Amino acid sequence: MDSTTSAKEPQQLSSRIYARSYAGLEIDPDRNISDDAIVFWRIVKLAFSNRIRITLALVGIVAAACFQLMIPQLLGDAVDGALGLVGKGNVSVEAGRDALYFAAWLLMGAAVMRGLFTLLHNYCGESIGHLLAYDLRIAFYAKLQQLSFSFHDHVHTGELITRGMLDLEGIRSFMNTGLLRVFLLIILVGVGAYLLISTDLVMGLLALSFVPFVMWKSAVSRLKLRGLWWTLQEKMAVLGRIMDENLTGIRVVRAFGAEPYELEKYDVASEEAHTLAAERIKTRVASTTAMTFAYFIAMGLVLWVGGTRVIEGQMSVGTLTEFLTFMTILQLPVRQLGLVVNSFARTLTCGARMFGVLDLEPVIGDRSEAQELPANITAVKFENVSFAYPGEGLPTVFNGISFEVSRGKTLGIVGPPGSGKSTIAHLIPRFYDVTGGQITIDGLDIRDIKLSSLRSKVSVLAQDPFLFTASLENNITYGNPWAEDADIRNAAAISQIDGFIDGLPKGYETLVGERGASLSGGQKQRVAIARTAMLQPEILVLDDSTAAIDAGTEQRIRQALKEQARSAATIIISHRLGTLRHADEILFIENGSVVEQGSHDSLVALGGKYAALFALQSREGEETVKAAKGAAE
Amino acid sequence: MTSVSRTAADPNAVRPPRAVVGSQISQDEVIFGAAFDRKVVRRFAEYLKPYRKTMYIALVTVLVFTGAQLSIPLVIRYAIDKALVGDTGGQALLTLAVAVFAAVIIVNYAANYLQDRLVGLTGERVIFDLRSAMYAHLQNVALTFMDRTEVGRMMSRLQGDVNSLQEFLENSITAFGDLVLLFGIVIIMLTLNFELGLLTLSVVPTLFFVRMVWLPRARKAFRRARETNSINNGALAEGIHSIRTVQGLHREAVNLELYGDKSQENLRAHLSSAKFAQVMVPIVDTLTGAAMAIVVVIGGTLVLDKELDVGVMVAFLFYVQRFFDPIRSLTIQYSVMQRAMASGQRIFEVLDVPLAISDKPDAVDPETVEGALELRNVTFGYYKDQPILKELSFKVQPGETVALVGPTGSGKTSITALLNRFYDVWEGEILIDGVDVRDYAKAALGRHVAMVLQDPFLFTGSIFENIRYRTTGAKREQIEEAAKIVGAHKFIMALPFGYDTVLEQQGHNLSMGQRQLLSFARALVADAKVLILDEATANIDSYTERQIQIALQRLLEGRTGIVIAHRLATVRNADRIIVLQEGRIIETDTHDALIAKNGLYAKLYELNYASFDDLPEDIVNNTLTAPVRS
Ligand SMILES: Nc1ncnc2c1ncn2[C@@H]1O[C@H](COP(=O)(O)OP(=O)(O)OP(=O)(O)O)[C@@H](O)[C@H]1O
Ligand SMILES: Nc1ncnc2c1ncn2[C@@H]1O[C@H](COP(=O)(O)OP(=O)(O)OP(=O)(O)O)[C@@H](O)[C@H]1O
Ligand SMILES: [Mg+2]
Ligand SMILES: [Mg+2]
């Protein structure tokens, strides 16, 4: 992929913009012509990178246009032949008949050749479009996979899907119906103009008199349409987002009886989009019909002036026919010009949006001297780590936090919501990069480790795991598609989900509904645990992974995971102290700093915040709470 | 671009990986229907009804436009025959002809403008109407249907299919014009000169024969192309939605390869369909050439023999060239129509999904409720013959707080779904204030029963809007009050724009617990008599939870509460605890009584603390005296 004008991924954006779905990808709708030109040239360059096909297409266009242009002349000759006038002088009937046959054969030939060359250039044009779309599709997918979390945090999924579908389609269809069609038009008009003007200067100029008007009109409406396309696209994106979130959050909508509210929200957005869509149609219709009208006026002028000349004997009827036929040939292209203009306007928008994503450089990637991690790592260490999520005005999450977990050991983390526990989990596999200090594995800064090497050793079970609309088996093997049946069953057994799956009529082949909709909260979490249990990570982070599972099941899972935990450095984030009880060390985090640190016993003995939490959760805590309540009353 | 071949990733692999991209719900949808489906057209026509007058006007303008187009060659013919070749009155006749020509093109322009504008605008309007109708319908469709249907698929109907109907609407008027044009040309050619006309038209049957051979193959190719498109787009959407999981599980290479395979298939299908689309071009051109040759040879001979006017021959040549244009565009329109019929089918399929849960005509919508809940012999499940809740009965008094407890998958969330009538029960009934939920208006249930769902869902928009949600009348103070109760006020104020901070999709820029707090606050603002908390504090630490509980106490006074939690500390203060297992009630009583009973609850409770049991006595005692953090 060509990336001469590469932009940096949004790191520093004002919060307001940052919070908008298009943050960082916002392209100024009033951007100037030179930006358009850049986008345009990039698209053209892409088209021309397919040398053979573009050459064939151009050859096809030139040839088809030539044959197309021969037809008026042949018809003119034929008419003259029919009138018995060949050339300038009067000729006999036989000669005229011969001329007719000759013209007929040539006509046939020209028509067939035109058809064949049209086939050639249209097919080449279409296939260039499709090949280009294929490349872009894959590049887009690959790019999205590379771009880091901070990018995906800012950009609404619907926005990206639209870019990958509609904008890509816009660029694809431009190849044949925009770019190459313009070549055809230029050649038709250019060569035709030459022929006509060299036949008769005045008549030629008359026949072409509509061209400047059409060019001016199309330039004006292109500008207007581009603006409209841009805003319309955004409004449609808003509408799409409203529908998408309504359907995704359908349970919330239903639970609150919020249908009328949602409908109103939709209606407002829909009306806005509709107004723009109507505006676009009006603009388009006004310009295309005016272009056709101009064309017919030119035709009328040719008829008038040409007719007068024929009457005056300065011109043959055949020549007049030739002029008029030439104009009919131009009729279709002129009609198409409206579409071509539309296509240009659309493509510049689409192209800018597409390249906007393709040009982004992932903020998180390999340094040039990045290394592989050695096997059997011994410890992961946070050294004075500071971090703030990218975005202006966002508070820092950590300000110099340090701790260490080594192989075979377990670190527990507790803390109130928003204290930064999940953020710790996100920093280890470099979903985000630290803003200060460093995280090291065996003394190596993780930013000096190859990303693939790092991520294959680190496994984070996210707090809200995503399940795929696929079979349970495919979900469980997501991180290790080459697993054998035995591994799958083993993982299911570890996460205590095997009993449930065996009870299903289709077992492991059962389809999981969208995002696990057909599973209970605890079942979802257990499938996610099984997915992680398939891997043999050396650093394992469980982020509140058993919150929706009852204590009994959880305990069995913990037992089953023990084996794996022996060969890994484990971090467990949980609000259930029973889960953390056996951790070698527990951190109590608040406002991004470690306020208490130590083993369960020592923390309880310390009598601080951890102990207070413990009091609330332990059997005896009940009395403590009651006592506290009594004291308050 | 990285691309790892399957075998390179694991040289020993003897079978393909257990990996797929894109949805695995079967793709056996109608992609291409018949070109004309009466049912679809009739139903579509209903949406046109409000714009009937406009459509009639549009039809008239089409006729006028076509007429004007047809008459242009006739005017030219007249000019040539009468003014140029004829012997008398040349210049005057020419002027007349040009004047007529001018009149014709003005009419042509006006008709063209009106036609395009009317058709375009009406088409756009109808499309928006149709989309609104679908969207409104989906608001009331049974959840059982929505559970089985992917959002992406619905979205493609709301967007893609609706657009192809629009294309159809705009095209069908043009197609109508083309048909009129075609007939007009045939009639004019035959009237101008019957023999020559007949001879010229003799090429047409060939065209129909060719098309008959071509059509079935081309259709198949076109269909394949569309199918692969929707498969590809589905996979792309999935890739975007799941990106965090993909990166976390390091699946990029495998996915890219699988996606590459799908794209390759898509490319192949499109190249083949392009071939089919283009192959008709030289055939039509050859036939045009043949027709022109016939006019030239036969017509020309007739002219030489002085049996035909030159002007007629010129007009013929004009018509022959125009004749094949509509045929060509009708070919394109045919596939547009097919696509539209299939889209129409899919759209009306959505509109036909029965509203399994709709208000009865005499549905009650009381201003207030007491909040007495009762489940009476309720049996319910998601799949036939697999009941999840089995003959379940229990009562909750107004003002009482009841906890539902039980192992995962025991049916707790399902009960709450039934209380809000997400689904209808199979057997038995659910009563609020002694009235069956099926007899309430849906809006009434939404107003009187508020819920914190197990999966917090937030909308793109400001925090303020998210907490307020449907209760649009709520004041800012009420919002802040709710946020304070759930302990979210502090973190909200720390955000750069406070309550006006805009949340990313599904609240991704907040921590999980913070999202849960906002969804909790949302339920409080709704100010309902019945409050259902399904694991509302599962991702929140006990200390914060305790503070919420204390703050809630005043708010909950006089309200009925249902609380679900795995962390038993959360529920032990409930008035009553109902213990569920596999959709049945095992026991129900207060915390203390249940512990004394030593049944399932006591066991669960035991397990909750089992890990603490090996604590030395003195530490436990120490904790007892430790001050609760203030
Ligand atoms: N929408 C659905 N479609 C099909 N099956 C479902 C659906 N929702 C839940 N189930 C199934 O119904 C059973 C009960 O689920 P439910 O969500 O009520 O359990 P739960 O008690 O809330 O469990 P948890 O504590 O894990 O949240 C489970 O076996 C689950 O797989
Ligand atoms: N993607 C993000 N963009 C911006 N801010 C974020 C993002 N994710 C989290 N935050 C903020 O960072 C802080 C720490 O969040 P984090 O998710 O680490 O909390 P947590 O300790 O895991 O909380 P919880 O117990 O609720 O899961 C919070 O204030 C949160 O609002
Ligand atoms: Mg978290
Ligand atoms: Mg549940």
Side-chain angles (χ1 to χ4, degrees), chain A residues 473-488:
Chain A
E473 176 187 287
N474 277 330
N475 266 293
I476 293 176
T477 57
Y478 201 78
N480 179 7
W482 285 274
E484 297 299 334
D485 280 346
D487 302 335
I488 299 172

Side-chain angles (χ1 to χ4, degrees), chain A residues 251 500 517-523 548, chain B residues 147 382-383 388 406-415 423 454 534-535 566:
Chain A
R251 275 156 204 271
F500 168 71
S518 56
L519 299 176
S520 86
Q523 288 160 354
Chain B
D147 281 352
Y382 297 93
Y383 304 108
I388 299 290
T408 105
S410 54
K412 304 179 293 294
T413 303
S414 305
I415 292 177
Y423 308 95
Q454 193 166 11
D534 189 357
E535 296 282 12
H566 283 299

Side-chain angles (χ1 to χ4, degrees), chain A residues 300-380:
Chain A
L301 288 176
V302 168
L303 183 63
W304 194 10
V305 177
T308 314
R309 291 198 171 193
V310 173
I311 292 173
E312 288 167 358
Q314 291 170 348
M315 200 165 119
S316 73
V317 176
T319 313
L320 180 60
T321 312
E322 188 183 324
F323 275 100
L324 290 173
T325 328
F326 173 69
M327 294 204 67
T328 41
I329 287 180
L330 283 189
Q331 182 172 12
L332 205 61
V334 168
R335 267 213 258 163
Q336 283 174 348
L337 201 65
L339 294 180
V340 171
V341 169
N342 206 18
S343 172
F344 263 81
R346 182 175 167 203
T347 307
L348 289 178
T349 312
C350 294
R353 288 159 57 87
M354 194 77 199
F355 295 136
V357 173
L358 291 179
D359 289 348
L360 292 172
E361 286 297 331
V363 278
I364 291 174
D366 285 342
R367 286 185 181 168
S368 49
E369 67 279 15
Q371 304 176 16
E372 296 277 342
L373 262 182
N376 296 334
I377 55 185
T378 52
V380 54

Side-chain angles (χ1 to χ4, degrees), chain B residues 463-480:
Chain B
I463 291 186
F464 176 78
E465 284 166 341
N466 264 290
I467 299 182
R468 188 185 60 172
Y469 194 46
R470 174 220 70 192
T471 324
T472 41
K475 300 251 161 37
R476 203 160 182 105
E477 298 85 69
Q478 280 167 273
I479 308 296
E480 292 191 11

Side-chain angles (χ1 to χ4, degrees), chain B residues 70 176-189 323 326:
Chain B
L70 279 173
F176 175 71
D178 279 344
L179 268 180
V180 175
L181 191 66
L182 209 57
F183 279 108
I185 291 177
V186 169
I187 290 169
I188 292 179
M189 288 211 291
F323 183 71

Side-chain angles (χ1 to χ4, degrees), chain A residues 365-367 369-374 377 430 439-455 457:
Chain A
D366 285 342
R367 286 185 181 168
E369 67 279 15
Q371 304 176 16
E372 296 277 342
L373 262 182
I377 55 185
R430 283 186 78 200
I439 300 171
T440 57
I441 294 177
D442 288 1
L444 212 59
D445 188 325
I446 53 170
R447 284 166 294 187
D448 292 328
I449 297 169
K450 280 206 173 117
L451 206 55
S452 59
S453 168
L454 176 69
R455 289 192 180 162
K457 303 246 159 130

